[in-house]
Amino acid sequence: MSEKKTLFLPKHNVGGALTGSRPDLSVRPSRSEQPLPTVDQSVTLAGMTMKNPVVVASGTFGFGREYNQFYDLGELGGICAKGLTLHPREGNPAPRIAETPMGILNSVGLQNPGVDAFIAHELPFLRQFDTRVIANISGNTPEEYGIMCQKLSQAGVDMIEVNISCPNVKAGGMAYGTRPELAAEVTEVAKAHAGAVPVMVKLSPNVTDITVIAKAVAEAGADALSLINTIRGMRIDVNTRRPILKMNTGGLSGPAVLPVAVRMVWEVSQAVDLPILGMGGVAKGEDAAQLMLAGASAVAVGTALFADPYAPLKVRDGLTQLAARQGLSQVSQLTGGVLPWN
Ligand SMILES: Cc1cc2nc3c(=O)[nH]c(=O)nc-3n(C[C@H](O)[C@H](O)[C@H](O)COP(=O)(O)O)c2cc1C
């Protein structure tokens, strides 16, 4: 994203930093123009079957309402909803999005209406679609994670993604994701309150060795792992000498982080025996295939949505075509298929 592009951002993500305008609605390339080869697109993530391996990443899709103007949300394998907290949050002051070469920095800071409002107003909307609904939660304390898990499991989400990796909040957030004992504690509490709903823990890339955290979380009972969250970064306006983001620093996402995500998925897949939802910079089928070959069972598309709301469908179709070209009958056969040199 080095050139100026029109970004499409759900309204609660923008915070005044960018005025996203909508792409032309008369163009609806949601379905591929060419018939897709007969490859089974379905995958399973911690016992949860999905019609295809492409989900949308938390915080980049709101609660789906804006994107539903473009296509039937039932075309997606799953929707990771915007990160929820126990109580509503305003998020951080603007500017909170900054463009960078090959990506964006964000410091949105978990703006959301709170878990109860999600259950009352957003979950019924999402439930209309034939897709998996994954709730993403962040707490200030392990107890808050537990309360949210209880509420969400009773409300009937398909999976809970426990975010222990948000770089943009002061309390909790990334602190849990960078210390193995705290990551394990949050996982245990989440599992104890989630009933039969699978718990997927979202790991931070802002660590020296991600496998240490992955192992701690696996031992604490996680059903799946998702990675990566954003990588901490900073931009400075050299004329004003002010950081571009009001919070000074933010989290980097987009194409720039894909190689880091592939490397971390590969390392984690060798370290623990848990299914992985891979994400970070996925914009096309080949990107998703890299994460799957590295060990991911499914992939999430995030920042690519801001330039192209149809990105997840293009990733899905590109992945299917790639699998067909390689003579596979199932997309899931890509998982873990990398042939390392040694
Ligand atoms: C604007 C924005 C908001 C985000 N909010 C959340 C969030 O609420 N919870 C979360 O777990 N991750 C959040 N993320 C991280 C993404 O879900 C994803 O892990 C990351 O952006 C890497 O994927 P990508 O490069 O495809 O965007 C956010 C990312 C962006 C860009």
Side-chain angles (χ1 to χ4, degrees):
M1 286 194 200
S2 50
E3 329 128 33
K4 204 82 196 133
K5 274 194 177 171
T6 305
L7 298 189
F8 172 76
L9 294 152
K11 58 181 183 305
H12 52 273
N13 277 344
V14 182
L18 292 167
T19 45
S21 62
R22 293 213 172 100
D24 182 0
L25 277 177
S26 62
V27 186
R28 295 176 67 93
S30 70
R31 295 260 178 210
S32 332
E33 274 90 38
Q34 289 167 2
L36 285 174
T38 44
V39 174
D40 179 2
Q41 297 181 328
S42 65
V43 296
T44 305
L45 187 69
M48 180 180 80
T49 53
M50 299 196 291
K51 60 171 69 162
N52 68 64
V54 181
V55 312
V56 286
S58 180
T60 63
F61 202 74
F63 299 114
R65 290 183 191 270
E66 293 90 347
Y67 290 90
N68 186 45
Q69 300 168 65
F70 299 114
Y71 46 85
D72 173 5
L73 302 186
E75 298 220 23
L76 300 165
I79 296 172
C80 288
K82 173 75 191 144
L84 300 169
T85 47
L86 188 54
H87 304 292
R89 272 178 70 99
E90 289 284 315
N92 292 325
R96 53 192 197 176
I97 302 265
E99 292 187 63
T100 67
M102 304 276 292
I104 61 170
L105 280 175
N106 95 81
S107 57
V108 171
L110 299 175
Q111 177 180 342
N112 79 96
V115 69
D116 291 332
F118 169 78
I119 290 169
H121 306 298
E122 306 298 342
L123 187 56
F125 168 76
L126 289 168
R127 275 281 164 237
Q128 296 174 78
F129 305 98
D130 179 21
T131 189
R132 295 300 187 180
V133 177
I134 303 170
N136 176 288
I137 59 168
S138 286
N140 290 321
T141 60
E143 290 68 35
E144 285 191 6
Y145 281 97
I147 296 167
M148 285 187 278
C149 281
Q150 194 155 12
K151 286 174 183 264
L152 289 163
S153 62
Q154 285 165 0
V157 297
D158 293 307
M159 184 177 270
I160 298 172
E161 184 178 46
V162 173
N163 182 7
I164 54 168
S165 47
C166 184
N168 299 320
V169 289
K170 289 205 174 85
M174 209 170 68
Y176 289 125
T178 52
R179 292 174 55 187
E181 67 284 1
L182 294 182
E185 187 185 349
V186 168
T187 306
E188 271 167 28
V189 174
K191 274 297 290 173
H193 291 83
V197 176
V199 169
M200 174 165 72
V201 180
K202 185 160 179 179
L203 304 183
S204 173
N206 300 302
V207 291
T208 311
D209 184 353
I210 196 165
T211 66
V212 173
I213 311 289
K215 283 180 192 157
V217 163
E219 276 164 29
D223 300 297
L225 300 175
S226 58
L227 58 140
I228 58 173
N229 209 317
T230 55
I231 302 174
R232 288 188 78 201
M234 185 174 185
R235 256 193 72 194
I236 297 173
D237 180 328
V238 294
N239 295 314
T240 63
R241 301 192 172 194
R242 292 280 197 190
I244 307 282
L245 297 174
K246 202 63 181 271
M247 296 298 288
N248 297 323
T249 64
L252 182 67
S253 60
V257 310
L258 177 67
V260 179
V262 173
R263 186 262 295 180
M264 289 190 161
V265 166
W266 184 57
E267 288 177 343
V268 168
S269 72
Q270 292 171 90
V272 299
D273 191 17
L274 284 182
I276 296 172
L277 174 65
M279 72 194 82
V282 174
K284 54 187 193 298
E286 280 86 349
D287 304 337
Q290 286 196 58
L291 286 170
M292 291 185 74
L293 289 169
S297 298
V299 294
V301 175
T303 300
L305 282 156
F306 298 156
D308 180 4
Y310 296 98
L313 307 186
K314 291 176 180 170
V315 169
R316 174 199 63 185
D317 294 349
L319 197 52
T320 308
Q321 272 148 1
L322 183 144
R325 278 200 306 278
Q326 299 194 353
L328 305 178
S329 57
Q330 297 168 321
V331 170
S332 61
Q333 289 167 324
L334 289 167
T335 297
V338 65
L339 301 171
W341 289 107
N342 50 44

